[in-house]
Amino acid sequence: MRRRAKLVHEGGGTPREWALAEGEELQVGRQWSCAIRTDETSVSRMHARLWLQEGRLHLQDFDSVNGTFVNDVPVTRTTLAHGDHVRFGLFAIWILLEDVRQQTKVEDVPAPTQPTVDGPAAEIAQLTAERDEWRARAERLEARLAALPVDTLEAERQARLQAEAALAEARREIDEATRRAAQLERDRERDRAQVVSLSDQALVTRERARELATRAEEAERARGVTERDLTTALVEAERLRAALAAAAEARAEVEAKLRDLQREVRQHDRAREAAQAELDVAEYNLRAARDDAENLQLAYDAAEASRRQLRTELAAARELLAEQEAMLARLEAERKRQPP
């Protein structure tokens, strides 16, 4: 018995369903390449992925903005069970797991009584359809890469180189699948000729069909690996674009701060020049005050010298007056001594 998963979204009126078989993977997001795509703004462009491996359904969140929740519990990577309620932002789905009967293997089929090669032809047709699908996806990815805006930043160039490397790897996988399909077609024609000519070669046809089934399984595994690599490259490119946008915003903020600092420096320079001018005026006034003080000191010294000279002259005048008063006193005394 093998398992398969069914994802059910019941919001917005008509329910939507997605089926997931063993080895398959689905991406969830707003990006056009996502298998589970929604326009819900709370969902990131590349939000998460789900894949079924060995009968177990796995979930991984791609560092989304609003997160992924399983039964209202935030998760980054987990294994889902039947009946789980998964929410990507505000976009919710229900998980339904069911067992399916595995198709009968080639070795279990009894030897045919009538020559037939329908099994290998179906395998070849399926592989050819998958090859065409991968080629279309590669062309869409190439067109998307060509539509990306050119940026001079080194990180953008590295992101484009990584995406182009992933695209080249996908092309190699497609070429390998093409070569395998061509080889399978040649093998089918050879087996058909052998079956038509010799009915007893049925056993050889069975062995060849088993080999073709093995090759088809290998091609399926290679397809899954290539799809995961492409998804990883796209997610990395989105992260790099987000980092570049954040770096541009940070650069704009730094440039704005630098302009503010330059304005402040110019203001400080003008204030310093004004202060220097005031200091020059103050120094000029100080020199003028010192000159006035020196002139006042000289005038004071001259006045002091004049005052000393006046004191000397006053003392001489007092002595002269004293002498005259003494002389008058003598003359008065002599006059009194004379007879009338």
Side-chain angles (χ1 to χ4, degrees), residues 8-18 37-40 85 90-94:
V8 181
H9 171 66
E10 298 180 348
T14 305
R16 299 169 60 189
E17 295 184 1
W18 298 269
R37 185 181 179 279
T38 176
D39 293 329
E40 171 60 49
H85 180 262
L90 298 179
F91 181 79
I93 62 174
W94 291 93

Side-chain angles (χ1 to χ4, degrees), residues 287-331:
R287 287 194 297 269
R290 286 177 179 174
D291 294 340
D292 293 341
E294 290 176 359
N295 294 331
L296 289 174
Q297 185 64 36
L298 293 175
Y300 176 77
D301 294 339
E304 186 65 23
S306 298
R307 188 172 61 82
R308 286 194 298 270
Q309 184 177 358
L310 289 174
R311 286 179 178 176
T312 302
E313 292 177 356
L314 179 60
R318 285 178 177 174
E319 290 177 357
L320 181 59
L321 180 60
E323 290 177 358
Q324 290 178 356
E325 287 179 351
M327 185 181 294
L328 289 174
R330 286 193 302 271
L331 291 175

Side-chain angles (χ1 to χ4, degrees), residues 15-89:
R16 299 169 60 189
E17 295 184 1
W18 298 269
L20 193 61
E22 178 69 25
E24 292 184 346
E25 178 179 323
L26 298 177
Q27 290 82 35
V28 182
R30 291 186 291 108
Q31 189 166 288
W32 61 268
S33 60
C34 293
I36 304 178
R37 185 181 179 279
T38 176
D39 293 329
E40 171 60 49
T41 56
S42 62
V43 178
S44 300
R45 290 176 57 83
M46 185 67 71
H47 197 105
R49 69 184 181 112
L50 302 101
W51 71 99
L52 189 63
Q53 183 178 5
E54 297 179 356
R56 299 170 65 88
L57 182 60
H58 303 278
L59 167 66
Q60 180 183 3
D61 182 84
F62 288 145
D63 295 331
S64 59
V65 176
N66 295 311
T68 301
F69 301 83
V70 177
N71 300 325
D72 294 329
V73 177
V75 297
T76 56
R77 187 185 180 102
T78 187
T79 301
L80 301 174
H82 180 75
D84 280 346
H85 180 262
V86 183
R87 179 165 53 83
F88 309 97

Side-chain angles (χ1 to χ4, degrees), residues 75-144:
V75 297
T76 56
R77 187 185 180 102
T78 187
T79 301
L80 301 174
H82 180 75
D84 280 346
H85 180 262
V86 183
R87 179 165 53 83
F88 309 97
L90 298 179
F91 181 79
I93 62 174
W94 291 93
I95 303 300
L96 302 178
L97 298 177
E98 55 186 8
D99 296 330
V100 295
R101 291 186 177 273
Q102 188 173 358
Q103 294 181 353
T104 306
K105 298 183 179 179
V106 176
E107 55 266 26
D108 296 336
V109 178
T113 58
Q114 195 70 19
T116 176
V117 291
D118 291 342
E123 296 287 346
I124 293 172
Q126 180 180 359
L127 187 58
T128 303
E130 291 178 356
R131 180 202 62 189
D132 295 339
E133 179 183 357
W134 273 104
R135 179 173 295 171
R137 290 187 180 181
E139 291 176 354
R140 289 196 298 269
L141 180 58
E142 184 177 9
R144 186 184 176 204

Side-chain angles (χ1 to χ4, degrees), residues 165-195:
L167 180 59
E169 183 65 22
R171 286 177 175 173
R172 287 193 293 272
E173 293 292 339
I174 292 172
D175 294 339
E176 181 64 22
T178 303
R179 287 192 294 271
R180 290 179 181 177
Q183 182 64 37
L184 290 175
E185 182 66 24
R186 290 191 295 270
D187 293 341
R188 184 177 70 87
E189 293 296 331
R190 185 173 60 252
D191 291 342
R192 175 179 294 174
Q194 291 176 356
V195 169

